Amino acid sequence: MESFNFFTDNETAVYTLMPMVMADQHRSVSELLSNSKFDVNYAFGRVKRSLLHIAANCGSVECLVLLLKKGANPNYQDISGCTPLHLAARNG
């Protein structure tokens, strides 16, 4: 059975998922990612951060864990050299 891909591209996906990650709505994020071809390491915006950066910055722990399980790279650096861990430490 062919899986349905909700997102047409990574740019659409990231801006759909970002508010859910910020609100730590891990069940919704998990459901949307389950049959998606979305690249969890997709870097977006002018600072080139991933959703893992967003989750770490906002303290969205459940989404952070989910993204790591989906293969998000915890060592990816944005254009300033910040990893998600840097953002988590900076913002408590």
Side-chain angles (χ1 to χ4, degrees), residues 2-13:
E2 187 176 331
S3 64
F4 174 71
N5 189 7
F6 177 76
F7 304 118
T8 56
D9 59 70
N10 284 328
E11 194 76 6
T12 301

Side-chain angles (χ1 to χ4, degrees), residues 6-7 10-21 29 32:
F6 177 76
F7 304 118
N10 284 328
E11 194 76 6
T12 301
V14 80
Y15 287 108
T16 301
L17 291 166
M18 186 171 45
M20 293 176 200
V21 169
V29 173
L32 288 174

Side-chain angles (χ1 to χ4, degrees), residues 14-54:
V14 80
Y15 287 108
T16 301
L17 291 166
M18 186 171 45
M20 293 176 200
V21 169
M22 292 171 74
D24 207 15
Q25 297 173 337
H26 63 281
R27 287 188 178 100
S28 297
V29 173
S30 177
E31 187 175 310
L32 288 174
L33 289 178
S34 67
N35 293 319
S36 172
K37 292 182 175 94
F38 173 68
D39 176 7
V40 292
N41 292 302
Y42 178 71
F44 62 98
R46 62 180 176 79
V47 292
K48 297 300 179 194
R49 289 186 175 159
S50 67
L51 285 177
L52 193 62
H53 282 91
I54 302 303

